[in-house]
């Protein structure tokens, strides 16, 4: 099948599955790539924890921060505890910066990420990306803002109302009545911008090799593996990744490395048109389309 015909079929499948998808898959050695709407900006949700990890690790390398520094973390920092991590703690804790990096990146712990943002504010994280020649990702706020959406204002039986608002209240220019979904106010990025970040972490770039290795290691230990991981994990591959989820957004970025030496960066950013919080079919479809694009590139 030609690339054009394949992309048409993948767009059809995404549409029938209720997803608007922005994808890019790139061979990290040849630069060959294939994608669907890869330059569309979408709210990034927890994907910003990768730039945050990069900025924090770089500041540790420069001596501006010490990874062993212990910080006091109080419970009750957010009114909507996440599924895992420090926001679920019932008592004060002392956690080292290095361990906050692990919690933020590998467990997607928003409370840990916000402690790190207290050390390196969002604007500084964006500025450090620019230092490395990485454009197209803008970090505008911490993770606490992601716990103050319409979803938190309805009880569980009315969650579909918040999701319907997320689906229907956008504008053609990517504005939105929900600020966390407005690309001019929320942290945002495109599939291409995140693939550029992955390329810089996995191949020689302006990022110091030790810092790149640190961030790759964190992504390699990501514990959230229900989305793309089932289609990219095997005895002959490793899958290093980070997910992002907010209202009707489901994202994942990562690198699949094959035992034969091939490596592919994958970025899948999606918006669902279905007002339901639990959509295992959408997760499977995201992975299926991403793997199909990877398989196509691998055969070129």
């Amino acid at each position: 099948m030609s690339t054009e015909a394949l992309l048409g079929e993948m767009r059809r499948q995404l549409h029938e599955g209720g997803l608007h998808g922005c994808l890019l898959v790139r061979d990290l050695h040849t630069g060959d790539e294939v994608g669907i709407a890869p330059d569309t900006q979408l709210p990034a949700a927890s994907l910003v924890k990768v730039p945050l990890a990069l900025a924090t690790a770089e500041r540790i390398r420069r001596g501006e921060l010490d990874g062993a520094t212990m910080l006091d973390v109080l419970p009750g920092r957010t009114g909507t505890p996440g599924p895992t991590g420090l926001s679920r703690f019932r008592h004060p804790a002392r956690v080292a910066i290095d361990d906050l990096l692990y919690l933020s990146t590998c467990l997607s712990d928003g409370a840990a990420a916000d402690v790190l943002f207290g050390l390196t504010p969002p604007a500084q994280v964006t500025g450090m990306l620019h230092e490395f020649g990485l454009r197209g990702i803008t970090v505008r706020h911490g993770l606490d803002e992601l716990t103050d959406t319409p979803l938190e204002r309805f009880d569980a039986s009315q969650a579909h109302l918040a999701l319907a608002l997320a689906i229907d209240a956008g504008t053609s220019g990517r504005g939105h009545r929900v600020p966390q979904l407005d690309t001019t106010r929320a942290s945002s990025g495109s599939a291409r911008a995140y693939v550029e970040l992955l390329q810089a972490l996995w191949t020689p770039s302006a990022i110091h090799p030790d810092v790149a290795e640190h961030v790759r290691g964190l992504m390699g230990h990501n514990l959230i593996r229900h989305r793309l991981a089932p289609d990219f994990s095997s005895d002959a591959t490793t899958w290093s990744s980070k997910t992002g989820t907010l209202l009707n957004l489901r994202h994942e970025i990562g690198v699949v490395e094959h035992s034969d030496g091939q490596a592919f960066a994958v970025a899948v950013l999606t918006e669902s048109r279905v007002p339901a919080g639990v959509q295992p079919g959408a997760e499977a479809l995201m992975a299926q389309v991403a793997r199909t694009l990877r398989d196509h590139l691998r055969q070129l």
Side-chain angles (χ1 to χ4, degrees), residues 27-51:
D27 186 321
L28 290 179
H29 298 312
T30 69
D32 293 337
E33 63 182 35
V34 61
I36 297 171
D39 297 304
T40 299
Q41 289 277 320
L42 287 177
S46 287
L47 294 185
V48 297
K49 291 169 184 170
V50 178

Side-chain angles (χ1 to χ4, degrees), residues 36-137:
I36 297 171
D39 297 304
T40 299
Q41 289 277 320
L42 287 177
S46 287
L47 294 185
V48 297
K49 291 169 184 170
V50 178
L52 173 63
L54 170 59
T56 305
E58 172 62 14
R59 294 192 66 206
I60 291 172
R61 184 193 72 81
R62 295 176 182 178
E64 298 172 3
L65 298 173
D66 183 346
T69 298
M70 304 294 291
L71 299 176
D72 292 324
V73 183
L74 299 177
R77 293 172 61 93
T78 176
T80 308
T84 61
L86 294 171
S87 66
R88 287 284 175 183
F89 280 26
R90 299 174 61 185
H91 305 285
R94 300 195 73 210
V95 188
I97 291 175
D98 278 337
D99 296 327
L100 289 167
L101 262 178
Y102 167 77
L103 292 170
S104 172
T105 312
C106 303
L107 276 68
S108 202
D109 183 341
D114 278 332
V115 176
L116 295 175
F117 272 128
L119 302 173
T120 309
Q124 186 175 359
V125 173
T126 300
M128 294 181 74
L129 289 175
H130 293 173
E131 288 180 31
F132 297 129
L134 297 167
R135 303 279 174 170
I137 297 172

Side-chain angles (χ1 to χ4, degrees), residues 27-269:
D27 186 321
L28 290 179
H29 298 312
T30 69
D32 293 337
E33 63 182 35
V34 61
I36 297 171
D39 297 304
T40 299
Q41 289 277 320
L42 287 177
S46 287
L47 294 185
V48 297
K49 291 169 184 170
V50 178
L52 173 63
L54 170 59
T56 305
E58 172 62 14
R59 294 192 66 206
I60 291 172
R61 184 193 72 81
R62 295 176 182 178
E64 298 172 3
L65 298 173
D66 183 346
T69 298
M70 304 294 291
L71 299 176
D72 292 324
V73 183
L74 299 177
R77 293 172 61 93
T78 176
T80 308
T84 61
L86 294 171
S87 66
R88 287 284 175 183
F89 280 26
R90 299 174 61 185
H91 305 285
R94 300 195 73 210
V95 188
I97 291 175
D98 278 337
D99 296 327
L100 289 167
L101 262 178
Y102 167 77
L103 292 170
S104 172
T105 312
C106 303
L107 276 68
S108 202
D109 183 341
D114 278 332
V115 176
L116 295 175
F117 272 128
L119 302 173
T120 309
Q124 186 175 359
V125 173
T126 300
M128 294 181 74
L129 289 175
H130 293 173
E131 288 180 31
F132 297 129
L134 297 167
R135 303 279 174 170
I137 297 172
T138 304
V139 184
R140 293 187 171 96
H141 54 76
L143 276 295
D144 57 332
E145 293 195 25
L146 301 185
T147 64
D148 185 25
T149 74
L151 187 61
E152 286 74 43
R153 301 173 193 180
F154 291 101
D155 61 40
S157 66
Q158 296 179 310
H160 65 284
L161 298 176
L163 293 166
L165 176 64
I167 294 165
D168 296 333
T171 71
S172 59
R174 290 277 156 200
H176 206 286
R177 290 173 61 189
V178 178
Q180 294 88 345
L181 299 179
D182 185 329
T183 56
T184 67
R185 292 185 284 175
S187 297
S188 62
S190 66
R192 184 178 303 281
Y194 275 103
V195 164
E196 293 289 346
L197 173 57
L198 295 172
Q199 175 106 42
L201 289 168
W202 259 262
T203 63
S205 71
I207 300 173
H208 192 280
D210 292 345
V211 173
E213 182 180 15
H214 190 176
V215 178
R216 292 197 305 268
L218 290 169
M219 293 180 69
H221 287 95
N222 178 23
L223 294 181
I224 301 177
R225 304 184 66 81
H226 66 285
R227 192 161 286 166
L228 301 189
D231 275 70
F232 286 108
S233 299
S234 74
D235 289 345
T237 64
T238 58
W239 173 244
S240 306
S241 67
K242 180 71 194 75
T243 59
T245 308
L246 176 69
L247 294 169
N248 65 322
L249 302 179
R250 289 171 177 79
H251 307 330
E252 186 160 355
I253 62 170
V255 170
V256 57
E257 298 173 89
H258 298 270
S259 59
D260 63 4
Q262 285 188 300
F264 298 85
V266 180
V268 183
L269 282 60

